[in-house]
């Protein structure tokens, strides 16, 4: 009976939405980094599936509906960017240089970590697009012959960490410029980081949305070069 219920698409869909909405309400009341709705929903759903012995494939029948919304939701981030287009033009040079430098350093750091920890070829190639939004990361991973499932896990983990640690780090390093805040959150935490940026303000949200696209382009350029030079693949 339980197996039949959990295979229904409504189970995964309703469970995801319900747990996330509870996470949003908790976050509204406490406003702490560790009450991030995505982090809360991820942990709670894992616990529910584990304790109830529900196969992930059953949950994903409905959960995949949420996954299919990734691409259109990423495109929708262009709306705040359009509204602050004048800022993008004014800061175009500094934004482009910052994102390019960050993407290059990020790929080099990833390659060095993969080499230091002795990761396999497949694992190494799969973790490279960790700071690119899921829709783009899966494409990059596929072109580099990585494992898309590993890529998705790493991308989500990176987004959650950025969302949880982003604000405290911005405060620690006294980064108050809204453009810099948005670029940092969007360029590191992709769509999840952009959600945090939007909470900070419209300018931060727009710059984070811009960073998602530019970061993806930079990763397409830098990742294969860094892989070949450092890892020799």
């Amino acid at each position: 009976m339980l197996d039949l219920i959990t295979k229904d698409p409504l189970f995964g869909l309703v469970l995801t939405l319900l747990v996330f909405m509870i996470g949003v309400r908790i976050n509204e009341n406490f406003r702490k980094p560790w009450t991030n709705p995505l982090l809360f929903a991820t942990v709670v759903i894992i616990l529910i599936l584990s304790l109830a012995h529900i196969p992930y494939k059953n949950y994903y029948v409905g959960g995949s509906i949420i996954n299919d919304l990734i691409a259109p939701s990423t495109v929708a981030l262009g709306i705040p960017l359009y509204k602050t287009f004048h800022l993008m033009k004014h800061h175009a040079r500094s934004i482009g240089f910052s994102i390019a430098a960050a993407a290059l350093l990020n790929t080099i750091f990833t390659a060095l970590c993969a080499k230091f920890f002795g990761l396999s070829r497949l694992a190494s190639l799969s973790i490279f697009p960790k700071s690119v939004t899921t829709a783009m990361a899966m494409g990059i991973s596929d072109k580099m012959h990585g494992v898309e499932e590993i890529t998705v896990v790493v991308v989500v983990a990176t987004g959650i960490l950025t969302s949880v640690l982003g604000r405290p780090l911005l405060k620690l390093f006294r980064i108050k410029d809204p453009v810099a805040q948005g670029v940092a959150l969007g360029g590191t935490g992709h769509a999840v980081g952009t959600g945090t940026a939007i909470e900070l303000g419209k300018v931060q949200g727009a710059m984070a949305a811009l960073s998602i696209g530019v970061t993806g382009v930079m990763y397409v350029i830098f990742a294969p070069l860094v892989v070949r030079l450092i890892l020799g693949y």
Side-chain angles (χ1 to χ4, degrees):
M1 183 64 179
L2 179 62
D3 187 64
L4 185 63
I5 294 174
T6 56
K7 282 183 177 179
D8 191 298
L10 282 176
F11 171 76
L13 179 61
V14 172
L15 176 63
T16 303
L17 294 177
L18 180 61
V19 174
F20 185 80
M21 289 172 64
I22 293 173
V24 170
R25 182 60 61 89
I26 292 174
N27 189 53
E28 289 175 347
N29 291 331
F30 294 97
R31 291 291 179 182
K32 299 293 183 181
W34 52 86
T35 61
N36 177 275
L38 182 57
L39 176 61
F40 175 83
T42 301
V43 173
V44 171
I45 290 174
I46 289 174
L47 287 174
I48 291 174
L49 297 182
S50 299
L51 295 175
H53 302 289
I54 299 172
Y56 176 75
K57 63 179 181 180
N58 288 14
Y59 160 76
Y60 194 68
V61 172
S64 61
I65 299 174
I66 302 294
N67 194 55
D68 291 337
L69 297 175
I70 291 175
S73 63
T74 302
V75 174
L77 292 173
I79 296 175
L81 177 60
Y82 172 77
K83 293 180 178 179
T84 55
F85 187 72
H86 62 287
L87 283 174
M88 186 188 72
K89 291 176 62 178
H90 182 71
H91 298 281
R93 184 177 299 178
S94 57
I95 291 173
F97 177 79
S98 299
I99 296 175
L104 179 59
L105 290 174
N106 211 333
T107 51
I108 292 174
F109 178 75
T110 303
L112 292 175
C113 285
K115 193 169 186 177
F116 178 80
F117 289 105
L119 297 183
S120 66
R121 176 190 175 98
L122 279 177
S124 299
L125 296 176
S126 301
I127 66 174
F128 259 86
K130 62 183 178 60
S131 291
V132 182
T133 192
T134 306
M136 301 176 71
M138 291 177 67
I140 295 174
S141 180
D142 179 62
K143 293 296 182 182
M144 294 177 66
H145 305 292
V147 180
E148 292 184 5
E149 288 78 6
I150 297 177
T151 301
V152 171
V153 172
V154 176
V155 167
V156 172
T158 302
I160 291 174
L161 283 174
T162 302
S163 183
V164 171
L165 300 177
R167 286 186 178 183
L169 288 176
L170 290 174
K171 186 176 181 179
L172 176 64
F173 292 103
R174 299 180 180 179
I175 299 175
K176 299 179 180 180
D177 182 80
V179 174
Q181 289 178 338
V183 170
L185 291 170
T188 305
H190 42 82
V192 182
T194 299
T196 302
I198 291 173
E199 292 178 2
L200 294 176
K202 293 182 179 179
V203 174
Q204 290 92 329
M207 293 303 104
L210 170 65
S211 299
I212 291 177
V214 179
T215 298
V217 173
M218 294 300 174
Y219 263 77
V220 171
I221 297 172
F222 292 137
L225 296 175
V226 172
V227 166
R228 181 172 298 180
L229 291 174
I230 297 180
L231 299 179
Y233 298 151

